[in-house]
Amino acid sequence: MGLRPILARVANSFLTIGVLVGALAFAVSLTPSLIPRSYLIQGVLSGISAALGYGMGVLAYWLWTYLELPPLRGRILKAARIAIVGACIVIAVIFLWKASGWQNSTRTLMGLGPLDTANPFKIGAIACVVFAILLFLARLFRYTAFLFSSWLVRFVPKRMSYVVGGLLAVALFWSVAEGIVFSLTLRILDSSFQELDARVDDDFAPPTAAYKTGSAASLLSWDGLGRQGRRFVSSGPTGEEIGTFFREEARDPIRVYVGMNSAETVDERAKLALEELQRTGAFERSILIVVVPTGTGMIDPGALDTVEYLHRGDTASVAMQYSYLASWLSLLVEPDYGAEAANALFREVYAYWSSLPRDSRPKLYLHGLSLGAMNSELSASLYDIIANPFQGALWSGPPFPSRTWRSITDDRNAGSPQWLPRFRDASIFRFTNQNNALEIPAASWGPIRIVYLQYASDPITFFDAATLYREPDWMKGPRGPDVSEQVRWYPLITMLQLTVDMAIATTSPIGYGHVFAPQHYIDAWLAVTDPPNITAEDVARLKIFFVNRGATPGISG
């Protein structure tokens, strides 16, 4: 058999309606979303979109024939095929030509240089490969279901054999995906993250100062802190550096970290954290921050460095690792473990803090980034602390499933946008972004100050599965300062775009997406902790200092 008959057979295997819907899905996938995309990411996204679109077309064709509606035949069908294929090619070319402009509309808002080209040929080639792989898997599934039903039809009615055969094919594919692909991948990733956590970074040596966690005098061993713990306790400003900035004496901040290997259970690790806090004199500082890290145990350096400067080093912070895995894997595999660990640490610290005289104990605050923010929300119950409340919290980049964030956002005051809600009288909860929005006229803080730092371009915060079938609220009315006006809602495709955006959310520049800028942390901590003896000039100088320093951005892990 020659090449031409093979190509003709392959071409005839495609349903025209599927090609049309797949081409439309491919085209709209090229439109912008929240995060700028490289040609590689765009190609994968467009290939998946085209495959899903083709599948929807096939489903529509199946429904048409099932309802016994008359199909197109003969010359009409041939003419329709030619017209549709021609239209698909024109649509794809036009949208590929406009793709660079769409990406630049997002890049410009984030201060990135414009693209000269979107690399349409590379996008097309990658999309074709991804589409072919997915189509092969779909047809393999169909063939598997056919084999099952062909065997079953000898024992059961024909339609029942179709149903049972399909279910058996689903069970087989799911078993392969979950039992082999997913489990094997998870074991490999878990082992990799665990090895990475255990790796000793030569840039950080064990501390010699007795008050530091991991020193010879510490209750916690240097090796047991893990990679992120060692990085956390070794980095950050010293009292000398803070004093030099303010031209006055300052204290060395206290940082306590308990790694996964420090004890067997979360309760034992939480007790170790409290004992280490007591040993270091943390309860003699002016503020104490209970930090919940991300999935890998990472703590955003910009978040802690800034508050330590604002309080001239008179601070203590404590964190406890609960996972080796990246946040999205931790949320998928062990969704409750982070909240359990966060609650254990808070419960232990809060119980001791509550027993101290109110006029001599430190002010107590909570903090978390990304998955850490969600778990930090869950660490304290209002019913347990209402009689003796902590002073506030700063939660940055809360993931979309975060319960408190979701409840407040959904119940926001009328007229306030989803990306910058205003909740009731703003006495407890306030939201901010790149433009400090925490000074609200005629609003006064209550006994607890809670601030959410979030960017409108953060898909980890603003993903919503309902975008499958409806336009999200953040697209309505005024847009956030970092969201392109050219972003549009398309059924199914927008949800797919946001899913991809979540995977690349930390590739954005500092101050956009899921990468938080120190100067924005400064505004948030000023509102939450109300540090004494800080002037407007100090704040301005501190922001410039952190911008010029090029502080390492916190990447959600």
Side-chain angles (χ1 to χ4, degrees):
M1 182 181 291
L3 180 60
R4 179 176 291 183
I6 294 175
L7 292 176
R9 185 175 179 181
V10 170
N12 290 330
S13 71
F14 288 93
L15 288 173
T16 306
I17 184 62
V19 172
L20 175 61
V21 180
L24 292 174
F26 169 86
V28 298
S29 73
L30 295 164
T31 60
S33 51
L34 295 180
I35 303 294
R37 298 187 288 268
S38 67
Y39 72 83
L40 176 60
I41 297 297
Q42 182 63 68
V44 172
L45 169 62
S46 296
I48 295 172
S49 299
L52 288 174
Y54 183 80
M56 292 174 64
V58 171
L59 181 62
Y61 175 80
W62 174 85
L63 182 62
W64 183 276
T65 55
Y66 182 80
L67 295 175
E68 299 182 346
L69 298 173
L72 297 178
R73 298 182 185 278
R75 292 181 179 179
I76 297 177
L77 175 60
K78 185 175 182 179
R81 279 181 173 175
I82 294 173
I84 287 174
V85 170
C88 290
I89 293 173
V90 171
I91 291 171
V93 170
I94 292 174
F95 276 66
L96 281 168
W97 174 65
K98 297 185 68 174
S100 61
W102 284 325
Q103 288 301 306
N104 286 337
S105 71
T106 299
R107 293 174 65 87
T108 300
L109 292 176
M110 295 186 176
L112 296 171
L115 295 173
D116 295 326
T117 176
N119 294 295
F121 294 107
K122 293 180 179 178
I123 290 175
I126 295 168
C128 286
V129 171
V130 172
F131 175 84
I133 292 172
L134 294 176
L135 183 63
F136 170 77
L137 292 174
R139 291 185 173 179
L140 179 62
F141 173 83
R142 185 181 67 182
Y143 182 69
T144 303
F146 172 76
L147 289 179
F148 279 129
S149 61
S150 298
W151 176 74
L152 287 167
V153 75
R154 294 179 293 177
F155 309 103
V156 298
K158 180 186 292 187
R159 290 189 183 275
M160 181 176 291
S161 73
Y162 292 157
V163 173
V164 177
L167 292 175
L168 288 174
V170 169
L172 176 61
F173 271 63
W174 177 258
S175 298
V176 172
E178 194 274 336
I180 299 176
V181 178
F182 180 76
S183 297
L184 179 61
T185 302
L186 182 60
R187 283 198 298 270
I188 293 172
L189 288 173
D190 183 58
S191 177
S192 299
F193 280 112
Q194 189 170 357
E195 288 179 11
L196 182 63
D197 183 74
R199 184 179 301 168
V200 176
D201 196 331
D202 293 335
D203 293 338
F204 300 109
T208 56
Y211 76 92
K212 280 186 171 287
T213 297
S215 67
S218 174
L219 301 176
L220 299 157
S221 70
W222 177 248
D223 290 341
L225 298 183
R227 178 170 174 267
Q228 295 292 357
R230 291 188 290 270
R231 183 183 296 272
F232 175 65
V233 301
S234 299
S235 60
T238 64
E240 183 180 357
E241 291 170 337
I242 297 171
T244 299
F245 178 85
F246 285 106
R247 303 183 186 90
E248 63 181 62
E249 188 175 349
R251 305 184 72 176
D252 288 317
I254 293 173
R255 291 185 172 191
V256 171
Y257 193 98
V258 181
M260 286 277 287
N261 293 322
S262 298
E264 283 292 323
T265 68
V266 291
D267 290 331
E268 290 172 348
R269 292 197 290 272
K271 291 182 185 300
L272 269 176
L274 175 61
E275 291 170 3
E276 183 73 356
L277 285 172
Q278 294 168 328
R279 185 193 71 82
T280 58
F283 291 96
E284 298 169 11
R285 297 300 177 99
S286 63
I287 69 168
L288 170 60
I289 306 171
V290 179
V291 183
V292 181
T294 63
T296 60
M298 192 278 296
I299 296 170
D300 191 342
L304 269 294
D305 290 0
T306 49
V307 72
E308 288 166 347
Y309 265 91
L310 287 171
H311 287 268
R312 291 170 168 78
D314 193 19
T315 65
S317 54
V318 58
M320 189 172 80
Q321 187 180 17
Y322 54 87
S323 172
Y324 301 118
L325 301 174
S327 289
W328 65 274
L329 271 174
S330 180
L331 186 61
L332 180 67
V333 176
E334 41 194 24
D336 299 325
Y337 195 61
E340 179 187 349
N343 179 259
L345 177 60
F346 175 80
R347 188 173 62 246
E348 200 72 33
V349 173
Y350 178 79
Y352 179 77
W353 175 83
S354 298
S355 69
L356 300 175
R358 296 196 181 203
D359 57 352
S360 60
R361 69 189 182 190
K363 293 181 178 179
L364 183 61
Y365 297 95
L366 309 183
H367 171 65
L369 162 68
S370 192
L371 184 60
M374 186 177 79
N375 289 326
S376 183
E377 277 189 355
L378 298 171
S379 67
S381 169
L382 175 66
Y383 304 107
D384 295 332
I385 59 95
I386 193 168
N388 192 11
F390 57 87
Q391 277 62 56
L394 170 54
W395 291 319
S396 47
F400 65 93
S402 303
R403 297 177 194 172
T404 303
W405 175 86
R406 172 62 62 188
S407 175
I408 294 168
T409 300
D410 288 347
D411 293 338
R412 65 189 181 277
N413 296 349
S416 63
Q418 186 185 34
W419 49 270
L420 193 63
R422 186 168 295 184
F423 183 70
R424 299 186 182 177
D425 63 357
S427 62
I428 297 179
F429 294 99
R430 297 186 189 182
F431 294 77
T432 190
N433 54 20
Q434 295 94 336
N435 305 317
N436 188 2
L438 295 169
E439 293 297 328
I440 300 176
S444 300
W445 281 108
I448 304 177
R449 302 182 178 198
I450 297 177
V451 167
Y452 284 99
L453 173 59
Q454 59 188 40
Y455 300 145
S457 57
D458 188 351
I460 291 176
T461 295
F462 291 106
F463 174 85
D464 187 350
T467 53
L468 172 69
Y469 56 86
R470 73 182 182 197
E471 183 181 17
D473 287 348
W474 53 264
M475 282 192 190
K476 302 173 183 176
R479 298 280 176 90
D482 46 346
V483 177
S484 170
E485 292 293 336
Q486 297 190 45
V487 174
R488 295 288 184 271
W489 174 75
Y490 301 97
L492 178 64
I493 301 302
T494 295
M495 187 188 76
L496 189 58
Q497 287 177 323
L498 292 176
T499 301
V500 171
D501 282 347
M502 285 196 292
I504 59 174
T506 57
T507 64
S508 61
I510 299 176
Y512 302 95
H514 203 58
V515 185
F516 295 88
Q519 60 268 33
H520 304 147
Y521 274 121
I522 290 173
D523 291 331
W525 281 124
L526 282 169
V528 173
T529 65
D530 192 22
N533 304 320
I534 289 287
T535 66
E537 181 185 356
D538 291 333
V539 172
R541 284 199 309 117
L542 194 58
K543 289 182 178 181
I544 294 172
F545 169 78
F546 274 100
V547 170
N548 292 338
R549 191 182 75 165
T552 303
I555 302 298
S556 176

